[in-house]
Amino acid sequence: MKHRTGNLFVISGPSGAGKTALCQRLLEVIHGLKFSVSYTTRQPRQGEINDIHYTFVDETKFRAMISDGEFVEWAMVHGSLYGTSKRRIESMINACLDVMLDIDAQGAKQIKEAFPDSMLIFILPPSMDTLKERLVGRRSNNRESIEERTNKAIDEIRRYKSYDYVIINDAFDDALKRLSAIIIAERAKISRIDQDWIKDNF
Ligand code: 5GP
């Protein structure tokens, strides 16, 4: 099936919802879905590779990119700056690739304003207790950051109504199936397909 352009799928969810693992697996199972690598001023964590997980830049460079209008959205998250490159996502959607963005609720809102057809998907943990357990289990989070992330999680969860879909990550494989189903169904929408291609071929 021919598509006019690629689609944007924005995936958000509080820290500890299991969003990153779901997103990584989704990229492996859905052909033609590409990850939009964000820019950030935060330090790389162990194992993170520049231009694969994030493009790591200093604050001066990030601020210059804001002034030059290079971001379609940007936000301050947990004390660091994060932004989505306009050029990166436009080149992918123009090449008819679907793009997955793993960004926070502030960014999701800005993406929906710039790209009204984008689909916003919110990942929830099965319960608040599970979320806290997952945050405590992460060695990279110190006491302060667990508290900060729990508060930010509560704030983020309150914003679920501005999303198009909600996935509860209770069992990984089930959640992955539901997430994949959204993308597959979205690709088949009449408004998404190249109607000239149908006219020319049938
Ligand atoms: P982490 O530093 O743990 O990878 O990500 C922290 C948070 O920043 C996550 O909620 C992630 O979705 C969000 N984030 C990552 N990239 C971007 C971006 O480009 N824009 C916005 N607004 N949030 C982002």
Side-chain angles (χ1 to χ4, degrees):
M1 181 80 76
K2 279 266 198 182
H3 290 88
R4 281 198 301 256
T5 59
N7 309 321
L8 284 182
F9 295 95
V10 176
I11 305 192
S12 307
S15 186
K19 182 186 54 168
T20 306
L22 274 175
C23 288
Q24 277 169 2
R25 190 74 189 114
L26 193 66
L27 291 166
E28 290 165 6
V29 298
I30 302 275
H31 181 75
L33 181 68
K34 300 286 166 202
F35 180 58
S36 160
V37 178
S38 294
Y39 285 79
T40 184
T41 60
R42 89 148 160 73
Q43 290 300 307
R45 296 190 188 118
Q46 203 177 4
E48 283 184 333
I49 302 164
N50 191 45
D51 290 339
I52 301 269
H53 298 97
Y54 284 102
T55 299
F56 297 97
V57 293
D58 62 22
E59 187 160 344
T60 310
K61 164 88 178 151
F62 196 98
R63 298 263 173 217
M65 291 178 74
I66 297 174
S67 306
D68 294 343
E70 289 192 39
F71 293 124
V72 60
E73 67 76 33
W74 65 271
M76 173 76 81
V77 188
H78 309 309
S80 299
L81 294 162
Y82 293 80
T84 304
S85 158
K86 204 180 280 177
R87 190 173 37 83
R88 284 182 180 170
I89 57 174
E90 282 178 355
S91 71
M92 288 190 277
I93 56 176
N94 291 339
C96 291
L97 291 167
D98 288 336
V99 183
M100 186 186 79
L101 289 88
D102 169 350
I103 63 176
D104 83 333
Q106 309 169 69
K109 188 168 171 279
Q110 295 176 65
I111 292 287
K112 192 74 167 182
E113 281 161 15
F115 297 91
D117 284 348
S118 57
M119 276 294 121
L120 308 189
I121 306 166
F122 196 82
I123 312 287
L124 271 178
S127 69
M128 206 57 212
D129 283 348
T130 313
L131 183 125
K132 281 186 192 154
E133 276 164 27
R134 287 180 187 168
L135 290 179
V136 170
R138 282 188 188 173
R139 287 224 195 112
S140 60
N141 286 333
N142 59 26
R143 236 184 136 78
E144 286 75 26
S145 82
I146 289 163
E147 199 181 311
E148 192 191 308
R149 279 170 189 252
T150 307
N151 291 337
K152 166 114 176 139
I154 294 166
D155 262 11
E156 288 239 15
I157 291 168
R158 290 206 180 106
R159 303 195 192 209
Y160 78 95
K161 280 194 186 152
S162 50
Y163 284 73
D164 298 297
Y165 296 96
V166 170
I167 301 276
I168 298 173
N169 187 12
D170 39 11
F172 185 88
D173 288 344
D174 285 351
L176 183 69
K177 269 189 209 146
R178 279 175 269 134
L179 196 51
S180 308
I182 292 168
I183 299 189
I184 293 163
E186 196 56 33
R187 283 179 170 175
K189 263 197 183 155
I190 296 287
S191 56
R192 302 272 188 195
I193 60 171
D194 183 347
Q195 298 191 14
D196 289 339
W197 180 83
I198 297 197
K199 209 165 80 194
D200 294 346
N201 286 277
F202 299 97

